[in-house]
Short mmCIF file of all heavy atoms in Angstrom, two decimals:
data_model
loop_
_atom_site.label_atom_id
_atom_site.label_comp_id
_atom_site.label_asym_id
_atom_site.label_seq_id
_atom_site.Cartn_x
_atom_site.Cartn_y
_atom_site.Cartn_z
N SER A 1 97.66 128.40 102.39
CA SER A 1 98.93 127.75 102.04
C SER A 1 99.61 127.23 103.36
O SER A 1 100.76 126.68 103.30
CB SER A 1 99.92 128.67 101.31
OG SER A 1 99.30 129.14 100.16
N GLY A 2 99.02 127.44 104.50
CA GLY A 2 99.59 127.02 105.76
C GLY A 2 100.58 127.97 106.28
O GLY A 2 101.25 127.71 107.27
N ARG A 3 100.67 129.18 105.66
CA ARG A 3 101.63 130.21 106.10
C ARG A 3 101.01 131.01 107.12
O ARG A 3 99.84 131.32 107.21
CB ARG A 3 102.11 130.95 104.98
CG ARG A 3 102.86 130.14 103.90
CD ARG A 3 103.19 130.99 102.66
NE ARG A 3 103.66 130.15 101.67
CZ ARG A 3 104.95 130.13 101.28
NH1 ARG A 3 105.84 130.99 101.86
NH2 ARG A 3 105.31 129.31 100.28
N PHE A 4 101.96 131.65 108.04
CA PHE A 4 101.55 132.57 109.06
C PHE A 4 102.71 133.48 109.36
O PHE A 4 103.81 133.20 108.98
CB PHE A 4 101.09 131.81 110.29
CG PHE A 4 102.17 130.98 110.95
CD1 PHE A 4 102.99 131.59 111.85
CD2 PHE A 4 102.42 129.69 110.45
CE1 PHE A 4 104.06 130.82 112.45
CE2 PHE A 4 103.49 128.97 111.09
CZ PHE A 4 104.26 129.51 112.04
N VAL A 5 102.38 134.58 110.01
CA VAL A 5 103.35 135.55 110.50
C VAL A 5 103.13 135.80 111.87
O VAL A 5 102.05 136.10 112.38
CB VAL A 5 103.28 136.85 109.66
CG1 VAL A 5 104.25 137.99 110.16
CG2 VAL A 5 103.54 136.69 108.19
N LEU A 6 104.22 135.74 112.63
CA LEU A 6 104.26 136.14 114.11
C LEU A 6 105.39 137.14 114.23
O LEU A 6 106.51 136.87 114.48
CB LEU A 6 104.58 134.95 114.97
CG LEU A 6 103.57 133.83 115.09
CD1 LEU A 6 104.11 132.56 115.78
CD2 LEU A 6 102.37 134.35 115.96
N PRO A 7 105.00 138.46 114.12
CA PRO A 7 105.95 139.54 114.28
C PRO A 7 106.45 139.79 115.68
O PRO A 7 105.75 139.42 116.65
CB PRO A 7 105.21 140.69 113.76
CG PRO A 7 103.80 140.46 113.96
CD PRO A 7 103.62 138.98 113.90
N ASP A 8 107.66 140.22 115.75
CA ASP A 8 108.27 140.68 117.05
C ASP A 8 108.32 139.55 118.10
O ASP A 8 108.09 139.84 119.27
CB ASP A 8 107.49 141.85 117.63
CG ASP A 8 107.56 143.06 116.61
OD1 ASP A 8 108.57 143.27 116.00
OD2 ASP A 8 106.47 143.68 116.47
N VAL A 9 108.65 138.34 117.69
CA VAL A 9 108.90 137.23 118.67
C VAL A 9 110.16 137.47 119.39
O VAL A 9 111.13 137.75 118.74
CB VAL A 9 108.84 135.86 117.95
CG1 VAL A 9 109.14 134.77 118.99
CG2 VAL A 9 107.51 135.55 117.23
N PRO A 10 110.16 137.45 120.69
CA PRO A 10 111.39 137.70 121.42
C PRO A 10 112.44 136.73 121.00
O PRO A 10 112.17 135.52 120.87
CB PRO A 10 110.99 137.48 122.93
CG PRO A 10 109.52 137.70 122.96
CD PRO A 10 108.97 137.18 121.59
N PRO A 11 113.75 137.18 120.85
CA PRO A 11 114.82 136.23 120.54
C PRO A 11 115.00 135.27 121.67
O PRO A 11 114.66 135.50 122.83
CB PRO A 11 116.10 137.20 120.42
CG PRO A 11 115.52 138.51 120.25
CD PRO A 11 114.14 138.56 120.94
N GLY A 12 115.61 134.11 121.36
CA GLY A 12 115.86 133.01 122.30
C GLY A 12 114.98 131.80 122.05
O GLY A 12 114.26 131.76 120.97
N ARG A 13 115.00 130.89 122.97
CA ARG A 13 114.29 129.66 122.79
C ARG A 13 112.81 129.89 123.11
O ARG A 13 112.52 130.35 124.14
CB ARG A 13 114.88 128.68 123.82
CG ARG A 13 114.62 127.29 123.55
CD ARG A 13 115.32 126.40 124.57
NE ARG A 13 115.11 124.99 124.32
CZ ARG A 13 115.99 124.21 123.74
NH1 ARG A 13 117.17 124.72 123.38
NH2 ARG A 13 115.67 122.97 123.48
N GLN A 14 111.98 129.48 122.11
CA GLN A 14 110.59 129.72 122.21
C GLN A 14 109.81 128.45 121.88
O GLN A 14 110.28 127.65 121.18
CB GLN A 14 110.08 130.76 121.28
CG GLN A 14 110.77 132.18 121.44
CD GLN A 14 110.32 132.87 122.69
OE1 GLN A 14 109.35 132.51 123.33
NE2 GLN A 14 111.17 133.84 123.11
N VAL A 15 108.66 128.25 122.59
CA VAL A 15 107.77 127.15 122.34
C VAL A 15 106.63 127.63 121.47
O VAL A 15 105.95 128.58 121.79
CB VAL A 15 107.20 126.56 123.62
CG1 VAL A 15 106.21 125.42 123.33
CG2 VAL A 15 108.32 126.01 124.56
N ILE A 16 106.56 127.03 120.29
CA ILE A 16 105.49 127.39 119.39
C ILE A 16 104.38 126.28 119.45
O ILE A 16 104.67 125.04 119.29
CB ILE A 16 106.02 127.49 117.86
CG1 ILE A 16 107.19 128.47 117.78
CG2 ILE A 16 104.91 127.86 116.91
CD1 ILE A 16 106.90 129.82 118.20
N ARG A 17 103.18 126.69 119.56
CA ARG A 17 102.10 125.79 119.71
C ARG A 17 101.11 125.95 118.50
O ARG A 17 100.85 127.08 118.07
CB ARG A 17 101.22 126.08 120.91
CG ARG A 17 102.01 125.65 122.24
CD ARG A 17 101.24 125.76 123.42
NE ARG A 17 101.98 125.40 124.59
CZ ARG A 17 101.91 125.90 125.78
NH1 ARG A 17 101.08 126.90 126.05
NH2 ARG A 17 102.72 125.49 126.76
N VAL A 18 100.79 124.87 117.83
CA VAL A 18 99.90 124.86 116.67
C VAL A 18 98.73 123.89 116.94
O VAL A 18 98.90 122.76 117.33
CB VAL A 18 100.68 124.29 115.43
CG1 VAL A 18 99.86 124.44 114.22
CG2 VAL A 18 102.02 125.06 115.32
N LYS A 19 97.52 124.45 116.66
CA LYS A 19 96.29 123.60 116.70
C LYS A 19 95.49 123.89 115.51
O LYS A 19 94.98 124.93 115.31
CB LYS A 19 95.55 124.01 118.04
CG LYS A 19 94.23 123.28 118.17
CD LYS A 19 94.38 121.82 118.44
CE LYS A 19 93.17 121.10 118.82
NZ LYS A 19 92.45 120.41 117.70
N GLY A 20 95.36 122.88 114.69
CA GLY A 20 94.54 122.93 113.48
C GLY A 20 93.25 122.31 113.66
O GLY A 20 93.02 121.42 114.49
N PRO A 21 92.24 122.75 112.91
CA PRO A 21 90.81 122.22 112.96
C PRO A 21 90.97 120.69 112.71
O PRO A 21 91.37 120.27 111.66
CB PRO A 21 90.07 122.95 111.99
CG PRO A 21 91.02 123.76 111.13
CD PRO A 21 92.30 123.76 111.80
N GLY A 22 90.48 119.87 113.66
CA GLY A 22 90.51 118.49 113.47
C GLY A 22 91.89 117.84 113.83
O GLY A 22 91.95 116.59 113.65
N TYR A 23 92.81 118.59 114.29
CA TYR A 23 94.08 118.04 114.64
C TYR A 23 94.41 118.24 116.10
O TYR A 23 93.86 119.12 116.71
CB TYR A 23 95.20 118.75 113.83
CG TYR A 23 95.17 118.50 112.40
CD1 TYR A 23 94.38 119.23 111.51
CD2 TYR A 23 95.90 117.45 111.83
CE1 TYR A 23 94.32 119.04 110.09
CE2 TYR A 23 95.85 117.17 110.45
CZ TYR A 23 95.05 118.00 109.61
OH TYR A 23 94.97 117.79 108.26
N ARG A 24 95.34 117.40 116.57
CA ARG A 24 95.65 117.61 118.08
C ARG A 24 96.75 118.68 118.17
O ARG A 24 97.35 119.07 117.16
CB ARG A 24 96.26 116.28 118.59
CG ARG A 24 97.53 115.80 118.00
CD ARG A 24 98.01 114.46 118.66
NE ARG A 24 99.02 113.93 117.88
CZ ARG A 24 100.26 114.29 117.88
NH1 ARG A 24 100.61 115.31 118.62
NH2 ARG A 24 101.18 113.62 117.19
N LEU A 25 96.88 119.26 119.35
CA LEU A 25 97.89 120.29 119.65
C LEU A 25 99.29 119.70 119.37
O LEU A 25 99.55 118.65 119.87
CB LEU A 25 97.70 120.78 121.03
CG LEU A 25 98.74 121.76 121.45
CD1 LEU A 25 98.47 123.15 120.80
CD2 LEU A 25 98.74 122.03 123.00
N ALA A 26 100.14 120.55 118.72
CA ALA A 26 101.48 120.18 118.49
C ALA A 26 102.35 121.26 119.06
O ALA A 26 101.95 122.51 118.98
CB ALA A 26 101.75 119.97 116.97
N GLU A 27 103.55 120.95 119.55
CA GLU A 27 104.46 122.01 120.03
C GLU A 27 105.80 121.71 119.44
O GLU A 27 106.21 120.62 119.21
CB GLU A 27 104.61 121.85 121.51
CG GLU A 27 103.38 122.38 122.28
CD GLU A 27 103.65 122.37 123.79
OE1 GLU A 27 104.72 121.86 124.38
OE2 GLU A 27 102.74 123.02 124.54
N ARG A 28 106.53 122.81 119.11
CA ARG A 28 107.86 122.87 118.63
C ARG A 28 108.65 123.85 119.36
O ARG A 28 108.19 124.93 119.56
CB ARG A 28 107.97 123.07 117.16
CG ARG A 28 107.26 122.07 116.23
CD ARG A 28 107.98 120.69 116.22
NE ARG A 28 107.37 119.73 115.41
CZ ARG A 28 106.40 118.88 115.76
NH1 ARG A 28 105.89 118.92 117.01
NH2 ARG A 28 105.89 118.05 114.92
N VAL A 29 109.91 123.45 119.71
CA VAL A 29 110.80 124.45 120.33
C VAL A 29 111.70 124.92 119.23
O VAL A 29 112.24 124.17 118.44
CB VAL A 29 111.61 123.80 121.48
CG1 VAL A 29 112.60 124.69 122.06
CG2 VAL A 29 110.78 123.19 122.60
N VAL A 30 111.76 126.30 119.15
CA VAL A 30 112.61 126.81 118.09
C VAL A 30 113.46 127.92 118.74
O VAL A 30 113.15 128.51 119.72
CB VAL A 30 111.78 127.54 117.01
CG1 VAL A 30 110.93 126.56 116.21
CG2 VAL A 30 110.84 128.70 117.60
N GLU A 31 114.68 128.14 118.18
CA GLU A 31 115.63 129.18 118.51
C GLU A 31 115.35 130.40 117.64
O GLU A 31 115.52 130.29 116.44
CB GLU A 31 117.10 128.66 118.45
CG GLU A 31 118.01 129.62 119.02
CD GLU A 31 117.94 129.72 120.60
OE1 GLU A 31 117.57 128.73 121.24
OE2 GLU A 31 118.25 130.83 121.11
N VAL A 32 114.88 131.45 118.25
CA VAL A 32 114.56 132.57 117.45
C VAL A 32 115.69 133.61 117.39
O VAL A 32 116.24 133.83 118.58
CB VAL A 32 113.30 133.32 118.12
CG1 VAL A 32 113.00 134.68 117.27
CG2 VAL A 32 112.09 132.40 118.01
N THR A 33 116.04 134.06 116.28
CA THR A 33 117.14 135.09 116.16
C THR A 33 116.50 136.36 115.57
O THR A 33 115.70 136.24 114.65
CB THR A 33 118.23 134.59 115.13
OG1 THR A 33 118.74 133.34 115.58
CG2 THR A 33 119.32 135.57 114.98
N ALA A 34 116.83 137.46 116.17
CA ALA A 34 116.24 138.77 115.79
C ALA A 34 116.38 138.98 114.23
O ALA A 34 117.44 138.77 113.73
CB ALA A 34 116.84 139.90 116.55
N GLY A 35 115.28 139.33 113.62
CA GLY A 35 115.29 139.59 112.17
C GLY A 35 115.31 138.33 111.23
O GLY A 35 115.37 138.48 110.08
#
């Protein structure tokens, strides 16, 4: 379903990188809040 879990990501601004089979690398900056 395209879902994933990344537990215990440190709070704050994080760069998330995604690379799918046959796709180019994509990056998104997200603001992580605890919980």
Side-chain angles (χ1 to χ4, degrees):
S1 299
R3 295 174 190 251
F4 62 94
V5 175
L6 288 168
D8 302 321
V9 175
R13 196 174 185 104
Q14 301 292 341
V15 176
I16 306 298
R17 293 185 177 144
V18 182
K19 176 69 171 98
Y23 293 88
R24 64 180 170 79
L25 176 69
E27 290 187 351
R28 296 292 181 269
V29 176
V30 297
E31 189 66 35
V32 176
T33 304

